[in-house]
């Protein structure tokens, strides 16, 4: 099928130190790689669907069933294990969901392989998932030891990431602000501000805790402009053992919380326009703990989550562009019934400009 390219991962194991090429591999190396990749895929699926991740990052049963890593017959060279993502029984297989999860997984693997920390943060927008994903990738790549190199390849043989570069990047990322006891954004109720001492107080909805922080004078005007109920503070947020913010340091920015609907026309790429005046609007709301934005557009089955409104807008723009190029422009024979219905909806609302 056409979408097999998107959901395919080739695990290519080779000796690292010039040993004679052998088409065998210790079982532990293969198990570590498969378990690490499988858990990474599950975490990506949870993140994409806006699920909450707890301290142990437990994967739900439906995610386990819908995004299973399947193995094809192993091949020589020196040891090559083809894998792909599929639903447990494939009777209710959703190629759109799997394609998106596979694409996100490949993007984060690419960022790890390139040592691109900012790229990793951009892909794994929910910082709560960064530590468990780094742990699963560490198991996958660092578990190869010093005798074997593991390369993850796409179906054309292009290397997405290899264990030597990835292990170095994972160690460096773990030492940065991606650790589980820090955050970069927290939302709370504006309580008070002491302009003389440059001190801001914030009430955290999830815990009822009042926390204070010292801010830089440069953001004082932003505080005055956004002296409203809910604000977002960007900085280094230390978390307690339950995952609740307990201290803020290094405050960099302050943003208002905005849950106004978003006009879909404002999200379209330059080459798309609305076929007719329509009232398609994306519904925006906050999670129960007020820390995450959620967006829904039921007419196109779009759901997104992000910590900031700007990141939410970016994610929505990317998804609309992806849906147009991969669904609206695809021939019907390559689409499932659900995807064909989505194609009709996309072509009903939008058209491509010459």
């Amino acid at each position: 099928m056409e979408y097999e390219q998107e959901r395919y991962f080739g695990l290519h194991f080779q000796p690292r130190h010039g040993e004679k090429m052998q088409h065998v591999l210790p079982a532990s190396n293969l198990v570590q790689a498969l378990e690490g990749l499988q858990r990474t895929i599950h975490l990506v699926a949870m993140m994409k669907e806006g699920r909450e991740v707890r301290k142990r990052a437990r994967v739900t049963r439906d995610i386990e069933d819908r995004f299973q890593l399947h193995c094809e017959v192993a091949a020589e060279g020196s040891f090559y294990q083809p894998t792909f993502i599929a639903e447990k029984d494939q009777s209710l297989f959703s190629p759109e969901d799997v394609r998106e999860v596979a694409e996100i997984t490949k993007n984060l693997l690419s960022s790890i392989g390139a040592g691109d920390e900012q790229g990793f943060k951009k892909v794994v927008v929910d910082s709560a998932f960064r530590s468990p994903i780094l742990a699963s990738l560490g198991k996958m790549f660092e578990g190869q030891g010093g005798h074997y190199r593991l390369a993850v390849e796409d179906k054309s043989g292009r290397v997405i990431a290899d264990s030597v570069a990835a292990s170095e990047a994972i160690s460096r990322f773990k030492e940065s602000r991606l650790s589980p006891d820090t955050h970069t954004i927290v939302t709370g109720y504006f309580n008070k501000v002491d302009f003389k001492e440059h001190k801001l107080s914030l009430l955290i909805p999830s815990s009822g805790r009042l926390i204070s922080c010292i801010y830089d004078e440069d953001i004082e005007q932003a505080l005055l402009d956004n002296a409203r109920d809910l604000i977002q503070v960007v900085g280094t947020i230390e978390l307690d053992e339950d995952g609740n913010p307990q201290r803020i340091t290094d405050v960099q920015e302050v943003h208002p919380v905005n849950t106004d609907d978003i006009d879909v026309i404002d999200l379209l790429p330059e080459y798309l326009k609305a076929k007719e005046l329509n009232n398609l609007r994306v519904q925006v709301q906050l999670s129960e703990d007020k820390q995450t934005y959620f967006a829904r557009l039921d007419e196109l089955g779009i759901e997104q989550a992000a910590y900031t409104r700007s990141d939410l807008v970016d994610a929505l723009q990317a998804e609309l562009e992806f849906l147009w190029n991969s669904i609206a422009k695809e021939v019907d024979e390559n689409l499932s019934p659900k995807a064909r219905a989505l194609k009709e909806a996309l072509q009903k609302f939008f058209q491509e400009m010459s």
Side-chain angles (χ1 to χ4, degrees):
M1 297 183 183
E2 291 294 327
Y3 49 75
E4 286 185 351
Q5 169 70 23
E6 284 81 13
R7 59 189 176 106
Y8 180 92
F9 296 85
L11 305 183
H12 194 174
F13 300 84
Q14 291 181 303
R16 287 189 59 180
H17 303 294
E19 292 94 335
K20 182 179 178 181
M21 296 292 286
Q22 297 178 347
H23 308 301
V24 296
L25 179 77
S28 60
N29 290 63
L30 180 60
V31 170
Q32 293 272 49
L34 291 174
E35 288 183 347
L37 180 56
Q38 176 66 91
R39 178 157 173 79
T40 300
I41 290 167
H42 284 160
L43 290 169
V44 167
M46 290 178 65
M47 178 181 67
K48 175 188 172 295
E49 296 189 357
R51 310 288 182 94
E52 289 188 7
V53 59
R54 299 298 182 185
K55 191 170 182 180
R56 295 187 178 183
R58 182 172 296 174
V59 176
T60 59
R61 177 60 61 85
D62 69 303
I63 291 290
E64 289 180 344
D65 289 346
R66 290 164 53 207
F67 300 94
Q68 283 192 355
L69 190 64
H70 292 242
C71 294
E72 296 181 339
V73 177
E76 296 181 353
S78 97
F79 187 94
Y80 188 85
Q81 179 61 65
T83 70
F84 61 94
I85 307 174
E87 195 174 30
K88 184 177 181 179
D89 55 15
Q90 300 196 49
S91 61
L92 300 175
F93 183 66
S94 175
E96 298 86 16
D97 291 343
V98 171
R99 186 186 294 116
E100 291 175 26
V101 168
E103 181 182 17
I104 296 170
T105 303
K106 289 178 181 177
N107 287 339
L108 72 87
L109 284 170
S110 294
S111 68
I112 291 290
D116 182 3
E117 183 175 332
Q118 292 304 316
F120 178 78
K121 289 181 179 180
K122 187 175 180 180
V123 176
V124 190
V125 62
D126 188 338
S127 60
F129 281 88
R130 291 172 185 165
S131 182
I133 284 178
L134 285 174
S136 63
L137 291 174
K139 180 176 184 178
M140 177 180 178
F141 288 116
E142 296 171 345
Q144 300 310 311
H147 295 290
Y148 289 88
R149 175 194 295 262
L150 165 62
V152 182
E153 303 174 355
D154 62 19
K155 204 163 189 178
S156 66
R158 180 183 68 87
V159 175
I160 303 172
D162 78 87
S163 57
V164 176
S167 296
E168 180 181 344
I170 290 168
S171 296
R172 179 162 51 85
F173 289 8
K174 286 179 178 178
E175 294 173 358
S176 69
R177 293 180 182 178
L178 302 178
S179 60
D181 59 345
T182 63
H183 249 334
T184 55
I185 299 172
V186 66
T187 302
Y189 290 100
F190 189 95
N191 186 266
K192 64 179 180 179
V193 60
D194 186 328
F195 292 108
K196 184 178 179 179
E197 296 186 8
H198 295 160
K199 192 173 184 179
L200 167 69
S201 294
L202 204 64
L203 181 65
I204 307 303
S206 58
S207 64
R209 175 184 290 160
L210 188 65
I211 58 177
S212 300
C213 59
I214 303 298
Y215 64 85
D216 192 275
E217 189 174 356
D218 293 341
I219 68 169
E220 197 160 274
Q221 187 58 48
L223 287 173
L224 291 171
D225 294 340
N226 299 303
R228 57 183 71 187
D229 286 343
L230 274 175
I231 60 171
Q232 283 191 323
V233 176
V234 180
T236 301
I237 293 90
E238 297 179 12
L239 308 180
D240 61 21
E241 60 182 10
D242 296 322
N244 295 313
Q246 63 179 354
R247 186 178 296 107
I248 309 175
T249 60
D250 188 26
V251 176
Q252 302 162 14
E253 301 173 28
V254 173
H255 303 293
V257 169
N258 181 2
T259 56
D260 293 343
D261 289 351
I262 301 172
D263 194 325
V264 171
I265 294 177
D266 295 334
L267 301 172
L268 296 179
E270 293 181 355
Y271 56 83
L272 283 184
K273 67 177 182 180
K275 273 190 173 179
E276 56 187 29
L277 291 177
N278 61 62
N279 60 351
L280 281 184
R281 301 186 68 82
V282 180
Q283 298 177 356
V284 179
Q285 62 183 21
L286 289 176
S287 59
E288 186 175 348
D289 63 2
K290 310 299 183 186
Q291 301 304 310
T292 308
Y293 279 97
F294 287 101
R296 290 184 58 185
L297 180 59
D298 292 335
E299 290 86 345
L300 298 178
I302 291 177
E303 294 185 356
Q304 284 290 345
Y307 276 118
T308 67
R309 187 177 175 94
S310 61
D311 285 341
L312 188 70
V313 169
D314 290 344
L316 290 167
Q317 289 174 331
E319 182 160 4
L320 279 170
E321 189 168 6
F322 171 80
L323 291 177
W324 183 262
N325 289 316
S326 62
I327 301 295
K329 298 173 69 173
E330 184 61 85
V331 296
D332 288 350
E333 289 76 11
N334 294 335
L335 298 175
S336 67
K338 180 180 176 182
R340 285 196 293 271
L342 177 57
K343 175 181 177 179
E344 292 177 5
L346 288 164
Q347 293 181 340
K348 171 186 175 182
F349 292 119
F350 314 117
Q351 69 181 41
E352 195 161 333
M353 295 184 289
S354 59

